[in-house]
């Protein structure tokens, strides 16, 4: 059982996951072995950790072509034919088919050039149930949530902010919304929360009503403290809480 106030108040189905950057591995860590059923997706590590396991990935972990980039180990994935063709129309015979996520290679190239770089300086990314993690080592905390739970987390993250731009949901790979983009946000004065799993290729790994919400560990602690005196104690919240 997780002792997080948020876990209990939101009646989460899945455990919050601590994301740890490390050069050495804990004894209970298991290297991810992406399955055919998961299409080699590294996000199966997140799913496993949310169910209680400790999973790690490294540059040597097998996975889909974009895994090393989404996890932050590299800036641009080494995909035959180029990432711009992989994301768009493909390059033809002998190359991977295009995913048709971008209309043209030129648009895809410009899009990919905006993704953060140099976010990782560790050998491993470890996914571990939050309750079992060392708070001094965790960089990020990821939640798997339904829309009602997501609404609470978005509101709580913005509780002390005077800005509208406190969370965003990028069109990006599922793994980059869990690791690469949140790590880049941590370097900003006012880091935004990242809402993820809009990646249509990652969607089949999770329940149909599940999205992710990832923040820095520091922001997670801040949200835990807010939970003791916020809209959770107001009548407004009851309309949502009663159906969680």
């Amino acid at each position: 059982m997780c002792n997080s106030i948020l876990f209990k108040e939101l009646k989460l189905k899945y455990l919050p996951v601590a994301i740890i950057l490390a050069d050495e591995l804990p004894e209970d860590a298991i290297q991810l072995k992406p399955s055919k059923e998961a299409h080699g997706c590294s996000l199966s590590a997140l799913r496993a950790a949310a169910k209680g396991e400790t999973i790690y990935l490294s540059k040597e972990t097998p996975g889909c072509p974009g895994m090393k980039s989404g996890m932050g180990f590299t800036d641009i994935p080494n995909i035959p034919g180029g990432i711009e063709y992989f994301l768009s129309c493909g390059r033809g015979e002998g190359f991977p088919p295009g995913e048709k996520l971008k209309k043209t290679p030129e648009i895809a190239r410009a899009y990919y050039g905006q993704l953060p770089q140099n976010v990782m300086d560790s050998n491993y990314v470890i996914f571990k149930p939050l309750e079992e993690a060392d708070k001094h080592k965790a960089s990020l905390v990821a939640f798997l949530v339904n829309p009602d739970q997501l609404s609470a987390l978005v509101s709580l993250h913005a509780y002390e902010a005077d800005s509208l731009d406190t969370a965003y949901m990028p069109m990006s790979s599922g793994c980059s919304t869990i690791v690469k983009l949140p790590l880049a946000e941590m370097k900003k004065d006012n880091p935004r929360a990242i809402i993820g799993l809009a990646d249509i290729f990652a969607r089949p790994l999770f329940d149909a009503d599940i999205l992710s919400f990832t923040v820095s560990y520091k922001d997670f602690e801040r949200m835990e403290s807010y939970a003791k005196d916020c809209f959770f104690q107001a009548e407004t919240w009851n309309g949502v809480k009663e159906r969680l």
Side-chain angles (χ1 to χ4, degrees):
M1 176 60 68
C2 180
N3 290 323
S4 161
I5 298 172
L6 296 177
F7 177 80
K8 295 176 180 178
E9 183 69 28
L10 298 178
K11 300 180 181 179
L12 296 179
K13 178 180 179 180
Y14 297 101
L15 295 169
V17 174
I19 299 172
I20 301 165
L21 310 184
D23 290 324
E24 297 182 1
L25 293 172
E27 293 182 358
D28 59 342
I30 301 171
Q31 179 168 235
L32 176 70
K33 296 180 180 179
S35 64
K36 292 182 179 179
E37 292 77 13
H39 306 291
C41 183
S42 58
L43 284 178
S44 54
L46 174 66
R47 184 179 63 180
K51 294 180 179 179
E53 297 184 55
T54 297
I55 308 291
Y56 76 88
L57 298 91
S58 70
K59 289 183 179 180
E60 286 69 45
T61 301
C64 80
M67 183 276 287
K68 291 179 178 61
S69 175
M71 287 289 154
F73 294 120
T74 62
D75 292 332
I76 300 176
N78 183 20
I79 297 178
I83 182 64
E84 65 269 37
Y85 288 94
F86 180 69
L87 290 177
S88 57
C89 59
R91 202 157 192 169
E93 187 176 352
F95 295 100
E99 292 188 328
K100 296 187 177 181
L101 290 171
K102 294 296 181 182
K103 187 175 182 179
T104 67
E106 293 75 20
I107 292 173
R109 188 181 303 115
Y111 154 79
Y112 214 88
Q114 297 177 60
L115 290 175
Q117 299 184 8
N118 302 314
V119 300
M120 176 68 67
D121 58 3
S122 300
N123 293 328
Y124 304 104
V125 176
I126 302 167
F127 293 83
K128 192 178 186 71
L130 177 64
E131 191 68 11
E132 300 175 13
D134 185 335
K135 65 180 181 180
H136 299 296
K137 295 181 180 179
S139 294
L140 304 167
V141 177
F143 297 86
L144 295 177
V145 291
N146 65 30
D148 281 346
Q149 294 160 340
L150 178 62
S151 69
L153 292 176
V154 170
S155 298
L156 199 60
H157 183 264
Y159 190 53
E160 203 175 17
D162 58 7
S163 169
L164 290 172
D165 189 24
T166 59
Y168 85 118
M169 187 175 190
M171 198 299 289
S172 189
S173 67
C175 52
S176 69
T177 62
I178 303 298
V179 179
K180 190 172 194 174
L181 292 171
L183 286 178
E185 287 294 318
M186 283 180 61
K187 298 181 180 181
K188 301 178 180 180
D189 292 336
N190 296 298
R192 295 171 293 181
I194 306 295
I195 302 167
L197 302 186
D199 179 358
I200 59 174
F201 296 99
R203 293 299 308 156
L205 283 176
F206 300 91
D207 298 340
D209 65 340
I210 291 294
L211 291 169
S212 64
F213 182 88
T214 306
V215 294
S216 68
Y217 189 88
K218 181 179 179 180
D219 277 355
F220 164 74
E221 288 188 310
R222 182 170 55 84
M223 293 169 67
E224 281 279 293
S225 68
Y226 293 160
K228 300 172 184 177
D229 183 21
C230 69
F231 56 86
F232 286 155
Q233 289 78 44
E235 183 67 28
T236 307
W237 175 239
N238 291 336
V240 177
K241 185 175 181 179
E242 65 185 14
R243 65 184 189 184
L244 289 177

